[in-house]
Amino acid sequence: MADLLLTEEEQMLQKMVRDFADRELAPRARETDEKQEFSWENWRGMANLGLMGIGIDAKYGGSGSGGYRQVSIVAEEIARGDAGASVSMLAHLSLGTNTIYRFGNEEQKQRLLPSLASGKGIAAWALTEPGSGSDAAALQTTATERDGTYFLNGSKMFITNAAVAESIVVFATMDRSLGYKGISAFVVARDSPGLQINPLHGKMGMRSSTTDEVVFQDTPVPSNNLLGEQGRGFNYAMEILDSSRIIVAAQCVGIGQSALEAAMRYAQQRETFGKPIAQHQGIQFMLADMATQIYAARVATMHAATLKDNGLPFVEEASMAKLLASEMCVEVSSKAIQVHGGIGYFQEAGVERIFRDARVTTIYEGTSEVQRLLIARQLLAHYPA
Ligand SMILES: Cc1cc2nc3c(=O)[nH]c(=O)nc-3n(C[C@H](O)[C@H](O)[C@H](O)COP(=O)(O)OP(=O)(O)OC[C@H]3O[C@@H](n4cnc5c(N)ncnc54)[C@H](O)[C@@H]3O)c2cc1C
C-alpha cells in the first residue's frame, strides 16, 4: 500500500526498524513478558541500530538528523514488535536524554550525551512521586544547597529504566513555598551515595521494561549537574512532556497495529459455521473498526509530529493524538481478544499480552483525564466567551 504520509527516507527507516522488530523483538516478546525483567538483548539490538541518539547532534554522538516524525516512526515499529522495549526507549530518548539535550549547558552535553546517544548508557526521568503524579507540581523531594553541592531527600515512584540507568534526570524542590517555581532539574548518577533503587514487581504489562522506586537520602549532586536555571525545572518537565506525548501516541499506534495483525491472521484461519470467521460480517465490522481507529491515530500522531518538527504550535494536537491513540490501543487490543474468542484469553495467542501492554498508555505521561483538561484549556482559549 502506498504511504503518502512518509518520505522515501522515512520509509527506509521504517523498513529497517520493522525488519529488526520482526526478526528480534517479536519472537522474544512472550519470553521477555514472562521473565518480567529489563531485556538487555532488546536494548543492545536497538542501540546497535543507532536508535538511541535520533535527533541528537552528531557532535554529541547522536544521529545528527531526525525529528519527531522519525522518532514516531521508530516508536511505532518497536512497539509493534515489543511494547516494553518501546517504553525503555521512550523514557531514555524522549524524556531523559532529551531533557539534557534541550536544557543542559555545553559542558553537560559533552560530558553526558555521547554515552547516552550511543545507548551505552541509559537515561531515566524521575518526576512522579508516591504522593504526586498528575499533580506534579506538588512533588515533595527536596534539594538543599550546602557548600556548592545539592543534597536530595525524598523518593520517586514508577520510574522507567532507573534500575539500569547511568543518568537519572530528577525534579526536586528547593523551596516548597514557591510551588512549581521552586522546582529545579538535576542529573543524578545512578551510583551516587545515598541513592537506593527498588525495582517494583507485579506490573500488569510492559514487563520487558523496568519500573522502579528511587529513594534519596542526602544524595549529593555536584553543582555542575543542575540543569538549566534554578526554579525552572517544572517548566522544563512540562515542555518535555508536551512533545514526548507525540512519541507515546506513536507507541500506541504500534501496539494497535500488532493487535490488528494478530486478529487478521487468526480470523482467516479459524473456521465456524463452515467458513473462516473473517467471512462473518460481525467479525469484518470489528476488523474494519480496528483498522479505521489505527489509521486515525496514526494520521493524528504524524500531524502533531510534523507541526512540532516545523516549529509550529503543536501542544493541543499532541494531547489529542495521545488521547486518541492510547484509548484506541486499549480498545483495539480488547477487540483483538474478542476476535480470538476463548483462546484470546490465554497467553498462547499473544493478544492478552498486547492488551496488558496497552492498558498503561491511558495512564502514563498524562492520564486521559489530564489530556482532556489540557485540550479543554486550549479550546477555552480559542473560543472565549
Ligand atoms: C509503567 C509505568 C511507567 C512510568 N514511568 C514513569 C517515568 O519514567 N517517570 C515518571 O516520572 N513517571 C512515570 N510513571 C508515572 C505516571 O506518569 C503516573 O502514574 C501518572 O502521571 C498518573 O499519576 P498517578 O499514578 O499519581 O495518578 P493520580 O494523579 O493520583 O490519578 C489518579 C486518577 O485520578 C485522575 N485525576 C487526577 N487529577 C485529576 C483531575 N484534576 N481531574 C480529573 N481526574 C483527575 C487521574 O486521571 C487518574 O484516573 C509511570 C507509570 C507507570 C504505570
Side-chain angles (χ1 to χ4, degrees):
M1 188 165 50
D3 194 339
L4 299 178
L5 270 182
L6 305 185
T7 65
E8 219 170 285
E9 248 178 55
E10 289 170 344
Q11 289 184 42
M12 279 162 58
L13 173 69
Q14 182 187 49
K15 183 173 176 343
M16 176 185 82
V17 184
R18 184 174 292 175
D19 289 349
F20 161 77
D22 282 342
R23 197 177 56 244
E24 292 197 35
L25 299 181
R28 275 200 297 269
R30 179 170 171 183
E31 183 193 332
T32 54
D33 173 61
E34 274 174 17
K35 273 193 182 160
Q36 299 195 48
E37 55 190 43
F38 179 81
S39 168
W40 284 102
E41 234 178 336
N42 285 352
W43 183 266
R44 287 191 196 104
M46 294 189 289
N48 288 342
L49 274 190
L51 304 182
M52 298 311 166
I54 301 180
I56 307 286
D57 201 311
K59 70 176 174 182
Y60 306 121
S63 66
S65 63
Y68 279 76
R69 286 177 61 94
Q70 282 75 12
V71 182
S72 297
I73 291 164
V74 170
E76 177 182 337
E77 296 306 326
I78 295 291
R80 180 179 154 272
D82 183 328
S86 71
V87 183
S88 311
M89 187 196 117
L90 201 150
H92 164 84
L93 180 59
S94 71
L95 293 179
T97 303
N98 206 22
T99 304
I100 298 170
Y101 186 51
R102 281 182 46 190
F103 303 110
N105 59 31
E106 192 54 34
E107 182 278 322
Q108 291 167 334
K109 291 198 252 191
Q110 286 191 14
R111 172 162 52 94
L112 300 164
L113 289 178
S115 167
L116 299 176
S118 67
K120 194 167 145 274
I122 300 178
W125 195 83
L127 178 67
T128 306
E129 299 189 355
S132 62
S134 304
D135 186 9
L139 64 81
Q140 296 291 310
T141 297
T142 57
T144 314
E145 199 175 358
R146 284 199 306 269
D147 304 326
T149 300
Y150 298 99
F151 290 87
L152 300 191
N153 282 286
S155 62
K156 296 287 174 181
M157 196 60 167
F158 307 134
I159 308 306
T160 303
N161 288 347
V164 292
E166 178 178 84
S167 298
I168 308 178
V169 173
V170 178
F171 297 88
T173 177
M174 298 190 63
D175 184 346
R176 281 191 195 133
S177 71
L178 293 178
Y180 77 90
K181 289 184 180 162
I183 297 172
S184 299
F186 304 87
V187 181
V188 181
R190 187 177 49 108
D191 54 9
S192 302
L195 177 66
Q196 196 186 325
I197 296 190
N198 304 315
L200 301 169
H201 301 291
K203 194 161 63 192
M204 178 178 185
M206 303 293 197
R207 283 157 40 159
S208 63
S209 70
T210 178
T211 315
D212 314 297
E213 181 193 28
V214 183
V215 182
F216 307 98
Q217 277 179 313
D218 260 332
T219 307
V221 179
S223 61
N224 62 351
N225 274 15
L226 169 76
L227 280 176
E229 290 171 43
Q230 269 188 20
R232 298 273 303 154
F234 186 75
N235 303 69
Y236 300 157
M238 293 304 114
E239 249 187 73
I240 288 291
L241 286 175
D242 282 344
S243 41
S244 184
R245 282 183 188 124
I246 301 170
I247 311 306
V248 179
Q251 171 189 56
C252 297
V253 174
I255 296 173
Q257 182 67 31
S258 66
L260 174 67
E261 288 174 19
M264 288 303 303
R265 278 192 300 273
Y266 189 76
Q268 291 175 84
Q269 149 218 327
R270 171 74 171 176
E271 295 195 356
T272 66
F273 302 96
K275 55 184 177 186
I277 57 170
Q279 298 302 323
H280 298 305
Q281 201 179 50
I283 295 287
Q284 288 178 356
F285 281 9
M286 253 194 287
L287 295 171
D289 284 346
M290 291 160 77
T292 305
Q293 286 175 284
I294 294 167
Y295 170 75
R298 183 179 287 124
V299 172
T301 302
M302 289 308 279
H303 182 62
T306 307
L307 291 172
K308 165 81 185 149
D309 286 345
N310 285 282
L312 295 165
F314 70 95
V315 173
E316 187 177 359
E317 288 80 359
S319 274
M320 286 178 172
K322 200 268 179 181
L323 175 63
L324 183 69
S326 58
E327 303 216 325
M328 172 282 285
C329 77
V330 173
E331 236 181 86
V332 162
S333 56
S334 174
K335 281 184 186 143
I337 295 176
Q338 194 67 19
V339 168
H340 279 73
I343 196 65
Y345 199 65
F346 284 78
Q347 254 187 336
E348 189 186 325
V351 282
E352 60 82 42
R353 173 179 50 76
I354 300 174
F355 176 72
R356 286 188 284 104
D357 289 343
R359 193 59 193 85
V360 74
T361 64
T362 64
I363 296 171
Y364 62 24
E365 296 224 16
T367 63
S368 286
E369 292 71 36
V370 167
Q371 301 313 322
R372 288 185 169 95
L373 287 176
L374 295 172
I375 295 164
R377 195 179 297 158
Q378 303 264 344
L379 274 178
L380 290 166
H382 295 325
Y383 298 97

